Amino acid sequence: MNSRFCDGLGALTLGISALLGCSDRDIDPSQTETDALQPVEPTELLSYSCRQDETKESTPPGSAAKLPKTLRETNRLLGVAVNAAGLEDPAYAKTVAEQYSQLTPENEMKWDAIEPEPGVFDFTRADTIVAFAQANGMKVRGHTLVWHSQLPAWMEALTGTDAVRAAMTQHIQTVVSHFRDNFPGVVVAYDVVNEAVNIAQGAMPGASVYRDSVFSRELGEGFIAEAFQIAHDTDPDALLFYNDFGIEGMNGGKSTGAFNIVSGLVAAGVPIDGVGFQMHTGPTDQGPGAADFRANIQRYADLGLQVEITEMDVSLCSIGANVLGLELQRYRYNRIVSACFDSPACRSVSVWGLTDPNSWLNSNGCMQGMIVLDTQPAPLVFNETFGRKPAWWGIYDGLMGCSYQ
Ligand code: XIL
């Protein structure tokens, strides 16, 4: 028990230390990087008790072996969403390459970026990211082939079953074959279909489980199976995922809807390899809780599928990016990342952006009703100077087989 800090912490964190458990960190600080290490000072002293799994492949904290210095060195498949412009910044590129082993283009592979006009494909910015991954020995998740959002106006306005089917087929075939042929073995997985479950499903009785889109309107619910089949026929080696938000836990109409759709695909022999949970979440252990998430992973694993966390961020809007918020964020990252990697079905975990200023959540800021709050989401694991936040330690500990209690 680190009584010195636990004692001092009580008033500051409203008893959170007691809630989480407080024990000495097993990691020898002298073995860690010092250049980029700059979480708020007191948090460095706070640690949690761990459920240590000694059977994990990675070096257990406290062992004599040299500890990994970066997330990437822990040898788990850990990803980050990047953008092509960001990679032009040497500090950004260095941190990405040191810390992560998988990239997701944040916007560059979306339909509006890659096929802005019918049949006119522009791979320039997507290729920048895939080439960076290739040069650094990383994998890429292709995001995303079929999605209702970030579609060019011409695609959104397309009508007629044949026209939509032809456009979808050409798009998937052209994108998947481009990366298959130009970067063999690099784009190993695709979010074939993104967010197809109706956001209102469950809340509004009678609402369709399928979200309205040009695809569902013109092709019917079979568009999902069709898209997976086309992607599989184009690159049989690629892993094919259904990706969504709000389906991370067991309960609720949307989770049930997604599970029913995916189970149906599996039963029908559709070539689907797994499910991506976006995991845009907050600092409390809910939405979903770690135990709920574990149970949900298991029911997909029981179908023979892989699972991934594809877009994790932990917004601090509700609590503020203060010492308590940053510590809860560390706890939350640890619990969720551990839940995934504790399952043999978990392929990878990805965060949705490198540094806090890079986060897509900044575009809306923190709102309460119509009021913009004077706090920041600060949802990621590196700060604006590429320094490691407490959340970085949450992931690191999880990758080292240490799940906080
Ligand atoms: C977001 C990007 O981060 C933003 O830059 C863009 O303006 C909108 O899309 N779910 C997804 C991602 O599947 O593609 C979204 O990315 C975030 C929510």
Side-chain angles (χ1 to χ4, degrees), residues 99-141:
Q99 298 284 340
Y100 295 98
S101 42
Q102 180 169 264
L103 302 182
T104 304
E106 187 174 0
N107 289 301
E108 289 80 347
M109 276 193 202
K110 290 173 181 172
W111 198 310
D112 60 355
I114 232 164
E115 191 188 359
E117 302 294 337
V120 179
F121 288 82
D122 178 0
F123 287 103
T124 322
R125 288 184 305 139
D127 283 358
T128 301
I129 294 172
V130 181
F132 180 90
Q134 188 176 44
N136 290 284
M138 309 164 107
K139 307 294 183 203
V140 173
R141 300 192 80 254

Side-chain angles (χ1 to χ4, degrees), residues 81 83 104-107 110 143-144 147 149-150 191 194-195 243-245 278 280 310-311 313 352-353 358-361 363:
N83 50 73
T104 304
E106 187 174 0
N107 289 301
K110 290 173 181 172
H143 177 82
T144 171
W147 188 27
S149 185
Q150 292 181 271
D191 290 329
N194 195 30
E195 301 180 354
N243 191 52
D244 213 330
F245 66 93
Q278 292 187 9
H280 299 292
T310 54
E311 306 182 14
D313 47 27
W352 202 244
N358 298 137
S359 171
W360 71 304
L361 297 174
S363 59

Side-chain angles (χ1 to χ4, degrees), residues 105-366:
E106 187 174 0
N107 289 301
E108 289 80 347
M109 276 193 202
K110 290 173 181 172
W111 198 310
D112 60 355
I114 232 164
E115 191 188 359
E117 302 294 337
V120 179
F121 288 82
D122 178 0
F123 287 103
T124 322
R125 288 184 305 139
D127 283 358
T128 301
I129 294 172
V130 181
F132 180 90
Q134 188 176 44
N136 290 284
M138 309 164 107
K139 307 294 183 203
V140 173
R141 300 192 80 254
H143 177 82
T144 171
L145 297 171
V146 177
W147 188 27
H148 69 277
S149 185
Q150 292 181 271
L151 281 177
W154 68 266
M155 186 62 205
E156 218 147 347
L158 209 59
T159 53
T161 307
D162 291 347
V164 171
R165 177 169 290 127
M168 185 177 88
T169 304
Q170 185 190 29
H171 184 80
I172 296 173
Q173 287 176 342
T174 307
V175 173
V176 174
S177 63
H178 172 85
F179 295 110
R180 179 198 67 199
D181 297 342
N182 292 285
F183 302 93
V186 181
V187 183
V188 290
Y190 284 94
D191 290 329
V192 178
V193 175
N194 195 30
E195 301 180 354
V197 178
N198 189 350
I199 194 168
Q201 212 271 328
M204 283 166 55
S208 167
V209 70
Y210 294 91
R211 185 198 280 266
D212 179 60
S213 71
V214 64
F215 307 104
S216 63
R217 253 189 332 268
E218 301 294 342
L219 303 180
E221 59 191 55
F223 85 90
I224 300 180
E226 282 189 53
F228 276 88
Q229 194 61 56
I230 299 163
H232 177 74
D233 291 345
T234 311
D235 185 354
D237 293 331
L239 295 171
L240 306 181
F241 283 79
Y242 175 74
N243 191 52
D244 213 330
F245 66 93
I247 63 162
E248 292 86 355
M250 291 286 284
N251 302 311
K254 192 168 177 186
S255 276
T256 304
F259 184 74
N260 289 343
I261 288 174
V262 170
S263 312
L265 295 174
V266 171
V270 173
I272 177 172
D273 295 287
V275 173
F277 303 107
Q278 292 187 9
M279 198 62 75
H280 299 292
T281 189
T284 51
D285 192 34
Q286 51 187 257
D292 188 13
F293 181 45
R294 282 175 194 271
N296 200 32
I297 290 172
Q298 190 56 48
R299 73 170 168 168
Y300 281 101
D302 290 344
L303 292 177
L305 296 176
Q306 300 186 43
V307 296
E308 306 202 33
I309 294 171
T310 54
E311 306 182 14
M312 186 161 182
D313 47 27
V314 178
S315 171
L316 294 183
C317 281
S318 62
I319 195 161
N322 47 41
V323 172
L324 173 59
L326 291 168
E327 281 304 303
L328 289 173
Q329 189 179 53
R330 159 150 74 137
Y331 179 76
R332 185 80 169 129
Y333 267 106
N334 176 274
R335 302 262 296 167
I336 293 295
V337 171
S338 297
C340 197
F341 282 129
D342 278 353
S343 167
C346 179
R347 178 181 168 270
S348 74
V349 170
S350 296
V351 293
W352 202 244
L354 183 64
T355 70
D356 282 339
N358 298 137
S359 171
W360 71 304
L361 297 174
N362 294 325
S363 59
N364 289 330
C366 291

Side-chain angles (χ1 to χ4, degrees), residues 25 27 31-32 58-59 61 66-74 78 99 333-334 337 388 390-402 404:
R25 170 179 288 289
I27 295 163
Q31 291 193 53
T32 61
S58 42
T59 314
K66 191 169 173 291
L67 291 169
K69 286 186 174 174
T70 68
L71 299 179
R72 189 171 180 177
E73 285 179 23
T74 61
L78 197 72
Q99 298 284 340
Y333 267 106
N334 176 274
V337 171
R388 293 177 289 185
W392 184 96
W393 286 103
I395 296 184
Y396 180 88
D397 289 348
L399 298 180
M400 300 293 284
C402 164
Y404 298 157

